[in-house]
Amino acid sequence: MSDTDPHLNPRTTEGRGKLYSSILDTIGDTPVVQVKKLAPDNVRLYVKAEFFNPAGSVKDRLAISIIEEAERSGALKPGQTVIEATSGNTGVGLAMVCAAKGYPFVATMPTSVSVERRKLMRFLGAKVILTPKANKAMGCYLKAVELADANGWFLARQFESDANALIHENTTAREILADFAGDKLDYWVTGYGTGGTFSGVAKVLRKERPETKIILSEPINAQLIESGVVQERGEGGAPAGTHPAFEPHLIQGWTPDFIPAVLQESIDQKRFDELAPIDAQEGIEASKLLARKEGIFTGISGGCTFAVAQEIAATAAPGTVILCMLPDTGERYLSSPLFEGVGEAMNSEEIALSTSTPGFHLVDE
Ligand code: PMP
C-alpha cells in the first residue's frame, strides 16, 4: 500500500478553489461547529467560531466595514491616520485592515485588558495609547476623541457607527441563515460589547427566522439592560456618562460602562427574547472545558456565551438546536485569569514522567 492510498489516510482537502488578492477578503464565512461532549445527547449545540477570522476575532468584520464605508463616503482620506478606542479585538482588527490598506493606526486602550492585545497591535504596526483602568471604557473613548480632534485623525466610532451592525446583517447573519437553511434553529445566544453582532444578526433573524429565540447575555455584576436604567447620551448618540448598573468585570470585550448607541435600537425594538446574566468565573470554566473536551479554543466572552448556551441546552426539549457565538481566540488571554494555574515550568506529575525514563532530564534552566 502506498502513502497516498485513500483508505490509509482518508482525510483530504480540496483548497478553496480561488486565489485571494488580499488577506481582507478572507474575513467572514466562519464555520459553525457542533459541540458533542459538552451537550446533552438529544440537543444539537453549535458554535460559530469567529476565531477563524484572519486577525482572530469577530471584530475583523467591523474593522473592514468601518474603513471601507469611510473610504466610500470620503470621511477617510488616503494616508490619513485612523484612531479608535478599543478593548483590544477591534484594535487588532483595525491594525490588520490599516496595515493592509496603508493607513497609520492609533489605538487607545485601558490598562485593564490583556497585554497580548497591546503587543499584537504594535506588531501589526499600530501605536497603542494606554488609559487608566480607573477611567474605564469611557476614559479610553474620550482620549480617542481628544486625540482625533487635536490631530485631524479619522475616529472609527465603533460604538456609534451604522457600519457596525450593518456588516453583521450582511455577513454574520447571512452566513447563519445559509448554514441552517433547511434545518431548525431554536436559539441564538450572544453577548455584547458594542452590540454590533447582536443588533445586526438579531435584526435579520427577527425577519427571516422569527421562531428563533434570541438570548442576550450580560455580566452578572453589570446588567445594564436588565436594570432598565436609561443611558444618558450626548452628541451623535455618544454616551454622556457611566451607566449606574456598571461594575468592572472580567469579560474583556463585553459590556462597557455605557449602553452603546449601536445596541440601543435593538433594545428599544426588543430584538431579544431573554436576558441571561453570567458570572465571568463560570465562563472561564466553560472556556477551559471547551478546550479540553472539544479542542475548541476561545476566550472568556466565548466561554461565557457557551455557559449560557449550555444552561439552555440542559433543560431544552429533545431535538432543540442552539447556536452560540465564540467571538475570539483563547490565545489572546495568556496573561489573563483564563490561564491562571497554567504554568511554564514542569509540575510534579510532568517531572515524574520525565525522570521515569533515563534520557534527557532537565536539571536546571
Ligand atoms: N467578545 C469579545 C472578546 C470582544 O472583543 C467583543 C467586541 N468588543 C465582543 C465579544 C462583542 O462584540 P460586539 O462588539 O459585536 O458586541
Side-chain angles (χ1 to χ4, degrees), residues 57-59 62 86-90 117 158-159 164 168 190-199 251-255 260 262-263 299-302 305 326-329 332-333:
S57 92
V58 68
K59 305 304 296 241
L62 159 110
T86 168
S87 64
N89 282 327
T90 296
R117 286 158 155 79
Q158 59 169 334
F159 294 103
N164 185 349
H168 293 286
T190 189
Y192 67 88
T194 60
T197 310
F198 161 65
S199 293
I251 313 168
Q252 297 182 26
W254 262 22
T255 313
V262 169
L263 181 62
I300 301 176
S301 67
T305 319
L326 299 185
D328 72 351
T329 168
R332 221 143 270 185
Y333 298 85

Side-chain angles (χ1 to χ4, degrees), residues 57 118 141 162 167 241 275 293 329 355-356:
S57 92
R118 299 179 203 173
Y141 172 80
D162 290 341
I167 193 71
L275 289 169
K293 303 278 183 200
T329 168
T355 52
S356 68

Side-chain angles (χ1 to χ4, degrees), residues 25-41:
D25 297 335
T26 70
I27 295 172
D29 268 336
T30 54
V32 168
V33 181
Q34 188 171 3
V35 167
K36 295 255 178 68
K37 291 185 218 113
L38 298 177
D41 286 343

Side-chain angles (χ1 to χ4, degrees), residues 109 111 118 123 146 165 177 249 254 266 274 333 338:
M109 198 163 80
T111 53
R118 299 179 203 173
F123 195 81
E146 232 176 64
L177 291 182
H249 57 81
W254 262 22
S266 295
E274 221 181 283
Y333 298 85
L338 186 62

